[in-house]
Amino acid sequence: MSRSRQPPLVTGISPNEGIPWTKVTIRGENLGTGPTDLIGLTICGHNCLLTAEWMSASKIVCRVGQAKNDKGDIIVTTKSGGKGTSTVSFKLLKPEKIGLLDQSAVWVDEMNYYDMRTDRNKGIPPLSLRPANPLGIEIEKSKFPQKDLEILFPGMSADFTSENFSAAWYLIENHSTTSFEQLKMAVTNLKRQANKKSEGSLAYVKGGLSTFFEAQDALSAIHQKLEADGTEKVEGSMTQKLENVLNRASNTADTLFQEVLGRKDKADSTRNALNVLQRFKFLFNLPLNIERNIQKGDYDVVINDYEKAKSLFGKTEVQVFKKYYAEVETRIEALRELLLAKLLETPSTLHDQKRYIRYLSDLHAPGDPAWQCIGAQHRWILQLMHSCKEGYVQDLKGTAGLHSPMLDLDNDTRPLVLGPLSQTASLKRGSSFQSGRDDTWRYKTPHRVAFVEKLTKLVLSQLPNFWKLWISYVNGSLFSETAEKSGQIERSKNVRQRQNDFKKMIQEVMQCLVKLIRGALLPLSIPECGVRQYGGWEVKSELSGQWLAHVIQTIRLTYESLTALEIPNDMLQTIQDLILDLRVRCVMVTLQHTAEEIKRLAEKEDWIIDNEGLTSLPYQFEQCIVHSLQSLKGVLECKPGEASVFQQPKTQEEVCQLSINIMQIFIYCLEQLSTKPDADVDTTHLSVDVSSPDLFGSIHEDFSLTSEQRLLIVLSNCCYLERHTFLNIAEHFEKHNFQGIEKITQVSMASLKELDQRLFENYIELKADPIVGSLEPGIYAGYFDWKDCLPPTGVRNYLKEALVNIIAVHAEVFTISKELVPRVLSKVVEAVSEELSRLMQCVSSFSKNGALQARLEICALRDTVAVHLTPESKSSFKQALEALPQLSSGADKKLLEELLNKFKSSMHLQLTCFQAASSTMMKT
């Protein structure tokens, strides 16, 4: 907080040397507004406040007190200005001591004696003044106890005016630590004082000769007064006669020496003129000296000379002096104009600005040069910012067709670690996944990013000096300490009025910075009226999320640097709003770019599966999202004073929708892969895990995936996505403080399950329909009739064919994913059992042999696929058996059991897959 006035400044003291108690006149500037404002006055380190008389703001009269220092400054302290400084010093002389009985040629002034021990004034008569130091050296009081001295010197005293004076006591008390050399000097002083007394009246008269002349003049004046009062009417007065004689002698002398005296007067006149020229040559040579010093740049010398001339001849009535002083003022006015022009010249350093302002302050320049400089600097900063933008815009237009200053992200690949893939599979894949993500900038920095870096660097290079200039303006350190008090008071009044204006300047700079950055990076946030001034970037492509993150970091560092200048936060709020908008935009762009990358994942599907029936696609999808979120880590993190990216409901909804869109795009990719025509599938690099069972019955070097196999692979990936990938992604979203994660997961899961169900139904339709369609023709092959048939000898071929087809489905599914086997076979068995039940219920009547044959085939099928039976298939088998007549005799039951055992024994090898599945399920 700045004071309302400038500190006091002492520029002169008269006399500038003297003995203690000498009366001095102190002159200077800002010496207080009144007696009560003066709270401190020290000369050579001694407090002289008690003897000070405040005369005016530029004059104080006081007496110099006893001081330890021989020479020192005059320091004035006031309430309004604080502790001041001094450009002059006072030399304290050792007084020639005058004793009580010593002769003196001058009158010893009676004064109030200042007692240092009690810090109080004591009015005491001259006769009671303490005698001087007899030895003439510095007294150093000892710490020897007074009682011990009284015991050591009984009846004696250390006072040398006492009859019982003891020199030893005096020396112990006052000079116990004095060196021998100083004591020798004391002896010399004593001898000198003794010699001075022995010289008698002659020395006294020599020392006071001027006093005798003054006394003679006084006596003459008294005599004239007495004569005038007592004898003016008496003729023949002695005084009158003497006057007549003197007048006649004077007239006679004038007559005799008139010519000589005339030449003498002319010589005296010439001599006086030369003396005036010599005496006042400072003023007469000053105009030329000012011009020379201005050319040299010695402005301090010019100002000091001007101040001196102003104090000496500023109010002169002598015409010659007035004429020359007017010439000085003319050159000083030209200097003011020159300094003001240099002050307003840009660019310039803060040091030069302060220097010119101080010069103008010393020269009492009209107006407020400091504020003019602040205004000019403000306009210069704004001009630099707009010029920076125009330069980059023109450069972009001139070089737009030469290169693309963007990141090459289209061909970006991510490192793929496929988990439990076999060594063989990895080798066969070759180098398709060996190129990791390249995070280096492949091309030069985009123009808009380079512009933001340049713009922020420009602001950080100019604004600190601009802010420091204002702080110096507020606290008054810009102005010279010798400036006029009235000018300082006027400036202090203007500071409060200027605060609002300066605040608007800072806000204008901040708004210009923000709008220029918005015009480059967020053009839609600029009103139409400001597009021409702050926009103009004719770019078709948007910056990537990585470049936006880089820009955000740059602006954050700029904000931290501006905060370090102690600029109020309300002036920097627009930068915080810009950072928030850029963070939101960076998140949006990154998610949109991630969606584009997800679209291209289908092209990277190589159909290479591991033991779990998975390709690398789910992992690639998860890693793509993880990398995108990691790139947003710094953007989503809230720095001090920043708000959350997701604080606005609209932003939450948009981010949530983009996240859902990413998930659904990948689901769509899976659907496209499942329905891709066979001709579009490249299987030249296809490989399988050698540790898995025999795939597809037998493996040939040159084979291709069928649509059913692709369906199974996509179904396997869907299952993994549902159980692991989508949940992992939800955790990553939550880790990065995304909102609406439950909605994202719910919608994504629903879409995934819908695709899974649709693909599963397509596969079941492809596999179950041929088996179901072959049952009825197989049953009635050879004109078979349930009413008229031979006794059963075993299971007929149609059922064996159906089982072989089911086994083929089992083999195909098992090759891709063991986990899909129960799900697929259960549905196939349901379809077969349902069809078999329908066919049995359609038979009008069975003969005994027909019923036994039908029960044999139904039981054979049911027992074979028992491990894959569901409540629906069990119900279908039950309905089929209920449609048959019951076995009446034990022989039929025994025959049925024998035929079933025979069937199971003969097809033991084919039915092993069902037994393996059964044992596996029992283990689990």
Side-chain angles (χ1 to χ4, degrees):
M1 182 176 178
S2 62
R3 294 188 294 270
S4 59
R5 297 180 180 277
Q6 291 297 314
L9 176 67
V10 175
T11 59
I13 183 169
S14 177
N16 60 3
E17 62 181 12
I19 62 175
W21 307 111
T22 300
K23 191 173 184 179
V24 298
T25 301
I26 300 171
R27 297 188 181 276
E29 301 169 355
N30 305 319
L31 301 183
T33 59
T36 58
D37 192 37
L38 183 65
I39 61 174
L41 173 60
T42 60
I43 300 177
C44 297
H46 182 266
N47 187 356
C48 303
L49 181 62
L50 294 178
T51 62
E53 294 180 39
W54 186 90
M55 311 300 285
S56 68
S58 59
K59 180 178 179 182
I60 295 176
V61 177
C62 72
R63 289 187 180 275
V64 181
Q66 295 283 355
K68 293 182 179 181
N69 299 326
D70 295 335
K71 189 173 184 181
D73 293 333
I74 302 94
I75 304 300
V76 177
T77 306
T78 62
K79 293 180 182 178
S80 60
K83 187 175 181 181
T85 56
S86 173
T87 61
V88 296
S89 60
F90 183 85
K91 183 177 181 181
L92 188 66
L93 303 177
K94 290 187 178 180
E96 185 174 346
K97 303 297 181 181
I98 300 176
L100 296 176
L101 302 178
D102 294 339
Q103 294 180 346
S104 175
V106 296
W107 179 258
V108 178
D109 190 19
E110 293 182 8
M111 60 186 129
N112 287 335
Y113 179 72
Y114 183 76
D115 194 336
M116 296 297 291
R117 296 175 300 172
T118 60
D119 197 29
R120 301 173 64 184
N121 278 335
K122 293 183 178 179
I124 57 177
L127 291 177
S128 63
L129 286 175
R130 297 183 181 183
N133 180 9
L135 300 183
I137 59 176
E138 185 178 359
I139 296 176
E140 297 178 4
K141 294 289 184 179
S142 67
K143 299 180 180 179
F144 204 81
Q146 190 72 17
K147 293 182 179 180
D148 294 344
L149 290 173
E150 292 175 356
I151 296 173
L152 188 62
F153 303 98
M156 305 301 288
S157 173
D159 185 3
F160 58 83
T161 61
S162 173
E163 294 180 358
N164 300 324
F165 171 69
S166 172
W169 187 348
Y170 178 84
L171 290 175
I172 292 174
E173 185 177 18
N174 297 290
H175 300 285
S176 60
T177 60
T178 304
S179 65
F180 182 74
E181 294 296 328
Q182 288 180 318
L183 290 176
K184 289 172 65 177
M185 291 174 58
V187 172
T188 304
N189 293 336
L190 286 174
K191 290 179 178 179
R192 187 184 299 114
Q193 293 178 16
N195 293 334
K196 187 180 295 185
K197 290 182 178 180
S198 64
E199 290 178 1
S201 301
L202 181 60
Y204 164 73
V205 172
K206 289 181 179 178
L209 189 60
S210 61
T211 305
F212 283 104
F213 288 137
E214 292 175 0
Q216 173 65 26
D217 293 340
L219 290 174
S220 178
I222 293 173
H223 182 270
Q224 291 179 4
K225 186 67 176 177
L226 289 174
E227 288 290 329
D229 291 342
T231 61
E232 60 180 357
K233 296 181 180 180
V234 180
E235 292 184 3
S237 168
M238 179 184 66
T239 306
Q240 185 66 38
K241 291 180 180 179
L242 180 60
E243 181 180 1
N244 293 334
V245 172
L246 291 176
N247 286 334
R248 287 196 300 272
S250 175
N251 292 332
T252 303
D254 288 342
T255 302
L256 293 174
F257 297 99
Q258 184 173 5
E259 184 178 355
V260 176
L261 292 176
R263 290 197 298 269
K264 178 180 178 299
D265 290 341
K266 186 176 180 180
D268 290 342
S269 176
T270 304
R271 188 180 298 107
N272 290 337
L274 292 175
N275 288 338
V276 169
L277 288 175
Q278 181 65 26
R279 182 178 177 183
F280 300 103
K281 66 178 181 179
F282 165 74
L283 177 63
F284 299 140
N285 294 333
L286 188 56
L288 181 59
N289 290 337
I290 288 176
E291 291 182 356
R292 290 175 178 175
N293 289 326
I294 288 176
Q295 292 176 357
K296 295 178 182 178
D298 295 336
Y299 303 122
D300 291 309
V301 176
V302 174
I303 292 171
N304 291 335
D305 291 346
Y306 173 66
E307 289 292 337
K308 182 178 178 180
K310 185 177 181 181
S311 63
L312 294 175
F313 307 103
K315 298 181 180 179
T316 184
E317 296 298 329
V318 180
Q319 291 298 321
V320 175
F321 294 165
K322 289 176 68 174
K323 179 179 179 181
Y324 274 87
Y325 185 74
E327 290 292 327
V328 171
E329 285 290 355
T330 301
R331 285 158 176 78
I332 292 298
E333 183 61 30
L335 176 60
R336 291 192 188 106
E337 295 176 358
L338 173 65
L339 292 175
L340 183 60
K342 287 182 174 292
L343 176 63
L344 301 181
E345 186 179 280
T346 52
S348 62
T349 63
L350 180 62
H351 173 73
D352 289 340
Q353 291 170 351
K354 288 184 175 181
R355 190 160 57 95
Y356 294 139
I357 290 172
R358 287 196 182 98
Y359 291 154
L360 290 169
S361 175
D362 287 342
L363 293 174
H364 315 289
D368 194 347
W371 181 251
Q372 293 178 356
C373 178
I374 291 175
Q377 194 68 16
H378 168 248
R379 293 188 294 273
W380 168 250
I381 293 174
L382 293 179
Q383 181 183 350
L384 284 179
M385 296 168 69
H386 284 287
S387 299
C388 178
K389 189 268 290 187
E390 293 299 330
Y392 274 92
V393 170
Q394 294 299 325
D395 184 52
L396 177 63
K397 291 179 179 179
T399 60
L402 300 179
H403 54 75
S404 176
M406 300 296 294
L407 271 175
D408 182 15
L409 296 176
D410 293 340
N411 298 323
D412 180 40
T413 57
R414 305 199 183 260
L416 300 173
V417 181
L418 303 180
L421 290 178
S422 66
Q423 182 180 4
T424 305
S426 300
L427 292 174
K428 289 188 177 181
R429 293 182 190 190
S431 59
S432 58
F433 295 104
Q434 293 178 4
S435 59
R437 184 178 183 85
D438 185 6
D439 289 331
T440 59
W441 310 126
R442 299 186 182 180
Y443 298 97
K444 77 170 190 176
T445 306
H447 278 80
R448 288 175 292 171
V449 176
F451 160 69
V452 173
E453 292 178 346
K454 179 69 174 179
L455 184 65
T456 53
K457 183 178 179 181
L458 186 151
V459 171
L460 290 180
S461 65
Q462 298 293 329
L463 201 61
N465 289 339
F466 183 58
W467 180 258
K468 291 175 183 176
L469 186 65
W470 163 251
I471 296 300
S472 300
Y473 179 81
V474 171
N475 60 30
S477 62
L478 274 180
F479 310 108
S480 171
E481 297 175 354
T482 60
E484 290 291 336
K485 179 186 68 175
S486 59
Q488 298 292 341
I489 296 174
E490 189 67 25
R491 279 188 289 271
S492 63
K493 290 181 180 179
N494 291 336
V495 166
R496 181 170 297 179
Q497 301 174 1
R498 303 293 194 191
Q499 282 180 346
N500 291 332
D501 295 335
F502 183 76
K503 183 177 180 180
K504 291 179 181 178
M505 288 182 179
I506 291 291
Q507 289 176 341
E508 186 176 357
V509 172
M510 295 297 103
Q511 289 174 0
C512 181
L513 171 66
V514 169
K515 288 181 179 179
L516 286 173
I517 296 177
R518 286 184 179 275
L521 305 179
L522 303 171
L524 297 179
S525 64
I526 297 292
E528 293 184 3
C529 57
V531 171
R532 183 174 182 181
Q533 184 178 5
Y534 300 103
W537 297 85
E538 298 177 0
V539 290
K540 298 179 180 179
S541 58
E542 190 170 12
L543 289 178
S544 67
Q546 292 165 315
W547 280 121
L548 286 174
H550 176 72
V551 169
I552 292 170
Q553 180 64 16
T554 301
I555 300 177
R556 278 175 167 172
L557 293 176
T558 303
Y559 178 82
E560 292 176 2
S561 300
L562 295 177
T563 305
L565 295 175
E566 298 182 357
I567 298 178
N569 290 332
D570 57 337
M571 297 185 184
L572 303 177
Q573 186 58 41
T574 53
I575 297 182
Q576 283 285 24
D577 297 339
L578 171 64
I579 292 175
L580 179 59
D581 291 347
L582 285 174
R583 291 166 64 203
V584 171
R585 188 58 193 161
C586 181
V587 172
M588 300 297 182
V589 170
T590 301
L591 293 179
Q592 291 171 359
H593 181 74
T594 303
E596 294 297 324
E597 287 187 343
I598 299 298
K599 286 181 181 179
R600 294 191 292 270
L601 283 182
E603 302 171 2
K604 301 179 181 180
E605 177 59 281
D606 54 7
W607 302 103
I608 303 174
I609 59 174
D610 58 11
N611 288 337
E612 297 179 1
L614 303 176
T615 64
S616 62
L617 204 59
Y619 180 80
Q620 292 184 62
F621 171 61
E622 181 179 350
Q623 288 302 304
C624 185
I625 293 181
V626 169
H627 287 168
S628 297
L629 295 179
Q630 286 178 347
S631 67
L632 291 174
K633 183 178 180 180
V635 175
L636 296 174
E637 181 183 358
C638 293
K639 299 294 182 181
E642 293 183 356
S644 172
V645 173
F646 306 107
Q647 69 171 357
Q648 295 294 335
K650 180 181 178 181
T651 304
Q652 295 179 14
E653 182 62 28
E654 290 179 357
V655 171
C656 180
Q657 192 58 45
L658 282 173
S659 302
I660 293 174
N661 185 44
I662 289 174
M663 312 292 271
Q664 290 181 337
I665 285 176
F666 184 68
I667 293 172
Y668 176 76
C669 288
L670 294 176
E671 184 177 6
Q672 292 297 108
L673 288 171
S674 66
T675 58
K676 197 172 185 181
D678 293 346
D680 295 341
V681 180
D682 181 14
T683 58
T684 57
H685 61 286
L686 188 63
S687 177
V688 294
D689 193 339
V690 296
S691 63
S692 62
D694 189 1
L695 306 180
F696 311 118
S698 67
I699 300 179
H700 300 281
E701 299 229 350
D702 144 13
F703 69 99
S704 61
L705 287 175
T706 62
S707 58
E708 292 88 349
Q709 291 168 344
R710 290 201 302 276
L711 272 175
L712 286 173
I713 293 175
V714 174
L715 280 172
S716 177
N717 286 338
C718 287
C719 294
Y720 185 81
L721 289 169
E722 182 180 354
R723 293 194 305 270
H724 299 93
T725 304
F726 277 18
L727 299 178
N728 293 342
I729 291 174
E731 291 179 0
H732 287 297
F733 281 147
E734 185 175 3
K735 179 180 177 182
H736 289 82
N737 299 320
F738 273 55
Q739 303 296 316
I741 299 175
E742 183 177 350
K743 179 181 179 181
I744 296 173
T745 306
Q746 184 178 356
V747 174
S748 303
M749 286 291 190
S751 300
L752 182 64
K753 289 179 179 178
E754 179 184 355
L755 174 64
D756 177 82
Q757 186 62 29
R758 190 165 63 251
L759 296 180
F760 180 74
E761 290 176 356
N762 290 342
Y763 184 76
I764 295 300
E765 183 179 350
L766 290 172
K767 293 299 180 181
D769 284 358
I771 300 174
V772 170
S774 66
L775 289 179
E776 186 172 1
I779 290 175
Y780 297 105
Y783 304 100
F784 180 81
D785 188 0
W786 297 107
K787 299 178 183 179
D788 182 16
C789 60
L790 298 174
T793 58
V795 175
R796 290 185 293 168
N797 290 332
Y798 82 91
L799 188 59
K800 295 178 181 180
E801 183 180 350
L803 283 173
V804 169
N805 290 334
I806 294 175
I807 292 170
V809 173
H810 178 283
E812 184 177 67
V813 176
F814 189 85
T815 301
I816 303 300
S817 174
K818 301 174 184 178
E819 296 181 359
L820 287 177
V821 171
R823 182 183 178 190
V824 173
L825 289 189
S826 297
K827 281 297 182 181
V828 173
V829 170
E830 281 183 13
V832 173
S833 61
E834 182 181 354
E835 178 65 16
L836 192 58
S837 175
R838 183 187 68 78
L839 292 174
M840 293 300 106
Q841 291 175 6
C842 290
V843 178
S844 58
S845 63
F846 292 88
S847 64
K848 178 182 178 182
N849 292 334
L852 187 59
Q853 182 70 41
R855 188 175 294 274
L856 171 63
E857 293 171 351
I858 293 173
C859 289
L861 179 60
R862 183 192 63 186
D863 293 346
T864 301
V865 297
V867 71
H868 297 297
L869 291 179
T870 62
E872 290 78 6
S873 57
K874 289 180 180 179
S875 175
S876 297
F877 280 118
K878 183 178 179 182
Q879 292 174 4
L881 292 175
E882 289 176 351
L884 302 177
Q886 296 295 325
L887 297 177
S888 57
S889 63
D892 293 338
K893 294 179 180 181
K894 184 177 180 181
L895 179 59
L896 177 62
E897 185 176 353
E898 290 177 354
L899 292 175
L900 281 174
N901 291 333
K902 179 183 177 182
F903 166 74
K904 293 176 181 179
S905 176
S906 63
M907 292 195 67
H908 172 73
L909 182 60
Q910 289 81 355
L911 302 181
T912 304
C913 62
F914 299 115
Q915 296 174 1
S918 176
S919 61
T920 302
M921 293 185 67
M922 289 179 65
K923 289 178 182 179
T924 57

